[in-house]
Coordinates of all heavy atoms in Angstrom, one line a residue:
I272 N 103.2 90.1 109.3 CA 104.0 90.6 110.4 C 105.1 91.6 109.9 O 105.9 91.2 109.1 CB 104.7 89.5 111.2 CG1 103.6 88.5 111.7 CG2 105.4 90.0 112.4 CD1 104.1 87.2 112.2
F273 N 105.0 92.8 110.3 CA 105.8 93.9 109.8 C 107.0 94.1 110.7 O 106.9 94.8 111.7 CB 105.0 95.2 109.7 CG 103.8 95.0 108.8 CD1 102.5 94.8 109.4 CD2 103.8 95.2 107.4 CE1 101.4 94.6 108.7 CE2 102.7 95.0 106.7 CZ 101.5 94.7 107.3
H274 N 108.2 93.6 110.3 CA 109.4 93.7 111.2 C 110.1 95.1 111.0 O 110.7 95.6 111.9 CB 110.4 92.6 110.8 CG 109.9 91.2 111.3 ND1 110.2 90.7 112.5 CD2 109.2 90.3 110.7 CE1 109.6 89.5 112.7 NE2 109.0 89.2 111.6
T275 N 109.9 95.6 109.8 CA 110.6 96.9 109.5 C 109.7 97.8 108.7 O 108.7 97.3 108.1 CB 111.9 96.7 108.7 OG1 111.6 96.0 107.5 CG2 112.9 95.8 109.5
D276 N 110.0 99.1 108.7 CA 109.3 100.1 107.9 C 110.1 100.3 106.6 O 111.3 100.8 106.7 CB 109.1 101.3 108.7 CG 108.3 102.4 108.0 OD1 108.2 102.3 106.7 OD2 107.8 103.3 108.7
P277 N 109.6 100.1 105.4 CA 110.3 100.3 104.2 C 110.8 101.7 104.0 O 111.8 102.0 103.3 CB 109.4 99.9 103.1 CG 108.0 100.0 103.7 CD 108.2 99.7 105.1
D278 N 110.2 102.7 104.7 CA 110.6 104.1 104.6 C 111.8 104.4 105.4 O 112.4 105.5 105.3 CB 109.5 105.0 105.0 CG 108.3 105.0 104.0 OD1 108.5 104.6 102.8 OD2 107.2 105.3 104.4
H279 N 112.2 103.5 106.3 CA 113.2 103.8 107.3 C 114.4 102.8 107.4 O 115.2 102.9 108.3 CB 112.6 104.0 108.7 CG 111.7 105.2 108.8 ND1 110.3 105.0 108.6 CD2 111.9 106.5 109.0 CE1 109.7 106.2 108.7 NE2 110.6 107.1 108.9
V280 N 114.4 101.9 106.5 CA 115.5 100.9 106.4 C 116.0 100.8 105.0 O 115.3 101.0 104.1 CB 115.1 99.5 107.0 CG1 114.7 99.6 108.4 CG2 114.0 98.9 106.1
P281 N 117.3 100.5 104.8 CA 117.8 100.2 103.5 C 117.0 99.0 102.8 O 116.5 98.2 103.6 CB 119.3 99.8 103.7 CG 119.6 100.4 105.0 CD 118.4 100.3 105.8
E282 N 116.9 99.1 101.5 CA 116.1 98.0 100.8 C 116.5 96.6 101.2 O 115.6 95.8 101.4 CB 116.3 98.2 99.3 CG 115.5 97.4 98.5 CD 115.7 97.7 97.0 OE1 115.0 98.6 96.5 OE2 116.5 97.0 96.3
Q283 N 117.8 96.4 101.4 CA 118.2 95.0 101.7 C 117.8 94.6 103.2 O 117.9 93.4 103.5 CB 119.8 94.9 101.6 CG 120.6 95.7 102.5 CD 120.9 97.1 102.0 OE1 120.2 97.6 101.1 NE2 121.9 97.7 102.6
D284 N 117.5 95.5 104.0 CA 117.1 95.2 105.4 C 115.6 95.1 105.6 O 115.1 94.8 106.7 CB 117.7 96.2 106.4 CG 119.2 96.2 106.4 OD1 119.8 95.2 106.1 OD2 119.8 97.3 106.7
Y285 N 114.8 95.4 104.5 CA 113.4 95.3 104.7 C 112.9 93.9 104.9 O 113.4 92.9 104.2 CB 112.7 95.8 103.4 CG 111.2 95.7 103.4 CD1 110.4 96.4 104.4 CD2 110.5 95.0 102.5 CE1 109.1 96.3 104.4 CE2 109.1 94.9 102.5 CZ 108.4 95.6 103.4 OH 107.1 95.5 103.4
R286 N 112.1 93.6 105.9 CA 111.6 92.3 106.2 C 110.2 92.3 106.6 O 109.7 93.2 107.4 CB 112.4 91.7 107.4 CG 111.8 90.3 107.8 CD 112.5 89.8 109.1 NE 111.8 88.6 109.5 CZ 112.1 87.9 110.6 NH1 113.1 88.3 111.4 NH2 111.4 86.8 111.0
I287 N 109.4 91.4 106.0 CA 108.0 91.2 106.3 C 107.8 89.7 106.3 O 108.3 89.0 105.5 CB 107.1 91.9 105.3 CG1 105.7 91.9 105.7 CG2 107.3 91.4 103.9 CD1 104.8 92.8 104.9
D288 N 107.0 89.2 107.2 CA 106.6 87.7 107.3 C 105.2 87.5 106.8 O 104.3 88.2 107.3 CB 106.8 87.2 108.7 CG 108.2 87.1 109.1 OD1 109.1 87.2 108.2 OD2 108.5 86.9 110.3
L289 N 105.0 86.6 106.0 CA 103.6 86.1 105.6 C 103.3 84.9 106.4 O 104.1 83.9 106.3 CB 103.6 85.9 104.1 CG 104.1 87.0 103.2 CD1 104.1 86.5 101.7 CD2 103.3 88.2 103.3
A290 N 102.2 84.9 107.1 CA 101.9 83.8 108.0 C 100.5 83.3 107.9 O 99.6 84.0 107.5 CB 102.2 84.2 109.4
A291 N 100.3 82.0 108.2 CA 99.0 81.3 108.2 C 98.9 80.5 109.5 O 99.8 79.8 109.9 CB 98.9 80.4 107.0
A292 N 97.8 80.6 110.1 CA 97.5 79.9 111.4 C 97.4 78.4 111.1 O 96.6 78.0 110.3 CB 96.2 80.4 112.0
T293 N 98.3 77.6 111.7 CA 98.2 76.2 111.5 C 99.1 75.5 112.5 O 100.1 76.0 113.0 CB 98.8 75.8 110.1 OG1 98.7 74.4 109.9 CG2 100.2 76.3 109.8
T294 N 98.7 74.3 112.9 CA 99.5 73.4 113.8 C 100.2 72.4 113.0 O 100.9 71.5 113.6 CB 98.6 72.8 114.8 OG1 97.6 72.0 114.1 CG2 97.9 73.8 115.7
R295 N 100.2 72.5 111.6 CA 100.9 71.5 110.8 C 102.4 71.5 111.1 O 103.0 72.5 111.2 CB 100.6 71.8 109.3 CG 101.3 70.9 108.3 CD 101.1 71.4 106.9 NE 101.7 70.6 105.9 CZ 103.0 70.6 105.6 NH1 103.8 71.3 106.3 NH2 103.5 69.7 104.7
K296 N 103.0 70.3 111.2 CA 104.4 70.2 111.4 C 105.2 70.6 110.2 O 104.9 70.2 109.1 CB 104.8 68.8 111.8 CG 106.2 68.6 112.2 CD 106.5 67.2 112.6 CE 108.0 67.0 113.0 NZ 108.4 65.7 113.4
I297 N 106.1 71.5 110.4 CA 107.0 72.0 109.3 C 108.2 71.1 109.2 O 108.9 70.9 110.2 CB 107.3 73.5 109.4 CG1 106.0 74.3 109.6 CG2 108.1 74.0 108.3 CD1 105.1 74.2 108.4
T298 N 108.6 70.6 108.0 CA 109.7 69.8 107.8 C 110.7 70.4 106.8 O 110.4 71.5 106.2 CB 109.3 68.4 107.3 OG1 108.8 68.5 106.0 CG2 108.2 67.8 108.2
L299 N 111.8 69.8 106.5 CA 112.8 70.3 105.5 C 112.2 70.3 104.2 O 112.6 71.1 103.3 CB 114.0 69.4 105.5 CG 114.9 69.4 106.8 CD1 116.0 68.4 106.7 CD2 115.4 70.8 107.0
A300 N 111.1 69.5 103.9 CA 110.4 69.5 102.6 C 109.7 70.8 102.4 O 109.4 71.2 101.2 CB 109.5 68.4 102.5
D301 N 109.4 71.6 103.4 CA 108.6 72.8 103.3 C 109.6 74.0 103.1 O 109.8 74.8 103.9 CB 107.8 73.1 104.6 CG 106.8 72.0 104.8 OD1 105.9 71.9 103.9 OD2 106.9 71.3 105.8
E302 N 110.3 73.9 101.9 CA 111.3 74.9 101.7 C 110.9 76.3 101.7 O 109.9 76.7 101.1 CB 111.9 74.6 100.3 CG 113.1 75.5 99.9 CD 113.7 75.2 98.6 OE1 113.2 74.2 97.9 OE2 114.7 75.8 98.2
G303 N 111.6 77.1 102.5 CA 111.3 78.5 102.7 C 110.2 78.8 103.7 O 109.9 80.0 104.0
V304 N 109.6 77.8 104.3 CA 108.6 78.0 105.3 C 109.1 77.5 106.7 O 109.8 76.5 106.8 CB 107.3 77.2 104.9 CG1 106.2 77.3 106.0 CG2 106.8 77.7 103.6
E305 N 108.8 78.3 107.7 CA 109.2 78.0 109.1 C 108.0 78.0 110.0 O 106.9 78.6 109.7 CB 110.2 79.1 109.6 CG 111.4 79.2 108.7 CD 112.3 80.3 109.2 OE1 112.7 80.3 110.4 OE2 112.6 81.3 108.5
A306 N 108.1 77.3 111.1 CA 107.1 77.3 112.1 C 107.4 78.4 113.1 O 108.5 78.7 113.4 CB 107.1 75.9 112.9
G307 N 106.3 79.1 113.6 CA 106.5 80.1 114.5 C 105.2 80.3 115.3 O 104.3 79.5 115.3
Q308 N 105.1 81.4 116.0 CA 104.0 81.7 116.9 C 103.8 83.2 117.0 O 104.7 83.9 117.2 CB 104.2 81.1 118.3 CG 103.0 81.2 119.2 CD 103.2 80.6 120.5 OE1 103.8 81.2 121.4 NE2 102.7 79.3 120.7
I309 N 102.5 83.6 116.9 CA 102.2 85.0 117.3 C 101.8 84.9 118.8 O 100.8 84.1 119.1 CB 101.0 85.5 116.5 CG1 101.4 85.6 115.0 CG2 100.5 86.9 117.0 CD1 100.3 86.0 114.1
P310 N 102.6 85.5 119.7 CA 102.4 85.2 121.1 C 101.1 85.8 121.7 O 100.5 86.7 121.1 CB 103.6 85.9 121.8 CG 103.9 87.0 120.8 CD 103.6 86.5 119.4
A311 N 100.7 85.2 122.8 CA 99.5 85.7 123.5 C 99.8 87.0 124.1 O 100.9 87.4 124.4 CB 99.0 84.7 124.5
G312 N 98.7 87.8 124.4 CA 98.9 89.0 125.1 C 97.9 90.1 124.7 O 97.1 89.9 123.8
R313 N 98.0 91.2 125.4 CA 97.1 92.3 125.1 C 97.5 93.0 123.8 O 98.7 93.2 123.5 CB 97.1 93.3 126.3 CG 96.6 92.8 127.6 CD 96.9 93.8 128.7 NE 96.2 95.0 128.6 CZ 96.7 96.2 128.4 NH1 98.0 96.4 128.2 NH2 95.9 97.3 128.3
C314 N 96.5 93.4 123.0 CA 96.8 94.1 121.8 C 95.7 95.2 121.6 O 94.6 95.1 121.9 CB 96.7 93.2 120.6 SG 98.0 92.0 120.4
A315 N 96.2 96.4 121.1 CA 95.3 97.4 120.6 C 94.9 97.0 119.1 O 95.8 96.7 118.3 CB 96.0 98.7 120.6
V316 N 93.6 97.0 118.8 CA 93.2 96.4 117.5 C 92.4 97.5 116.8 O 91.5 98.1 117.4 CB 92.3 95.2 117.7 CG1 91.9 94.6 116.4 CG2 93.0 94.2 118.6
L317 N 92.8 97.8 115.6 CA 92.1 98.7 114.7 C 91.7 98.1 113.4 O 92.5 97.4 112.8 CB 93.0 99.9 114.4 CG 92.5 101.0 113.4 CD1 91.3 101.7 114.0 CD2 93.6 101.9 113.0
R318 N 90.4 98.2 113.1 CA 89.9 97.6 111.8 C 90.0 98.6 110.7 O 89.5 99.7 110.8 CB 88.5 97.0 112.0 CG 87.8 96.6 110.7 CD 86.7 95.6 111.0 NE 87.3 94.3 111.4 CZ 86.5 93.2 111.5 NH1 85.3 93.2 111.1 NH2 87.1 92.0 111.9
L319 N 90.6 98.1 109.6 CA 90.7 98.9 108.4 C 89.8 98.3 107.3 O 89.9 97.1 107.0 CB 92.1 99.0 107.9 CG 92.4 99.7 106.6 CD1 92.1 101.2 106.7 CD2 93.9 99.5 106.1
V320 N 88.9 99.1 106.8 CA 88.0 98.6 105.7 C 88.3 99.3 104.4 O 88.4 100.5 104.3 CB 86.5 98.9 106.1 CG1 85.6 98.5 105.0 CG2 86.1 98.3 107.4
G321 N 88.6 98.5 103.4 CA 89.0 99.0 102.1 C 90.4 98.7 101.7 O 90.9 97.7 102.2
E322 N 90.9 99.4 100.8 CA 92.2 99.1 100.2 C 93.3 98.9 101.3 O 93.4 99.8 102.2 CB 92.6 100.3 99.3 CG 93.9 100.0 98.5 CD 95.2 100.4 99.2 OE1 95.1 101.4 100.0 OE2 96.2 99.7 99.1
S323 N 94.0 97.8 101.3 CA 94.9 97.5 102.4 C 96.4 97.3 101.9 O 97.2 96.7 102.7 CB 94.4 96.3 103.1 OG 94.3 95.2 102.2
E324 N 96.7 97.6 100.7 CA 98.1 97.5 100.3 C 99.0 98.4 101.0 O 100.1 98.1 101.3 CB 98.2 97.7 98.8 CG 97.6 96.6 97.9 CD 97.6 97.0 96.4 OE1 98.7 97.2 95.9 OE2 96.6 97.2 95.8
N325 N 98.5 99.6 101.3 CA 99.3 100.6 102.0 C 98.6 100.9 103.3 O 97.6 101.6 103.4 CB 99.4 101.9 101.1 CG 100.4 102.9 101.7 OD1 100.7 102.8 102.9 ND2 100.8 103.9 100.9
L326 N 99.3 100.5 104.4 CA 98.7 100.6 105.7 C 99.3 101.8 106.5 O 99.1 101.9 107.7 CB 98.9 99.3 106.5 CG 98.3 98.1 105.9 CD1 98.7 96.8 106.8 CD2 96.8 98.2 105.8
R327 N 100.1 102.6 105.7 CA 100.8 103.7 106.4 C 99.9 104.6 107.2 O 100.2 105.0 108.3 CB 101.6 104.5 105.3 CG 102.4 105.6 105.9 CD 103.2 106.4 104.9 NE 104.3 105.6 104.4 CZ 104.3 104.9 103.2 NH1 103.2 105.0 102.4 NH2 105.3 104.2 102.8

Side-chain angles (χ1 to χ4, degrees):
I272 303 170
F273 303 95
H274 290 271
T275 57
D276 184 338
D278 292 337
H279 297 95
V280 297
E282 187 176 274
Q283 65 271 17
D284 294 334
Y285 177 62
R286 176 185 172 184
I287 187 170
D288 291 345
L289 310 175
T293 180
T294 56
R295 181 186 180 280
K296 184 177 180 181
I297 305 301
T298 69
L299 293 176
D301 299 296
E302 185 177 357
V304 176
E305 301 176 59
Q308 184 181 82
I309 297 176
R313 295 169 69 246
C314 289
V316 185
L317 175 66
R318 172 155 289 191
L319 176 65
V320 179
E322 188 272 327
S323 59
E324 290 176 60
N325 187 345
L326 300 176
R327 183 178 287 103

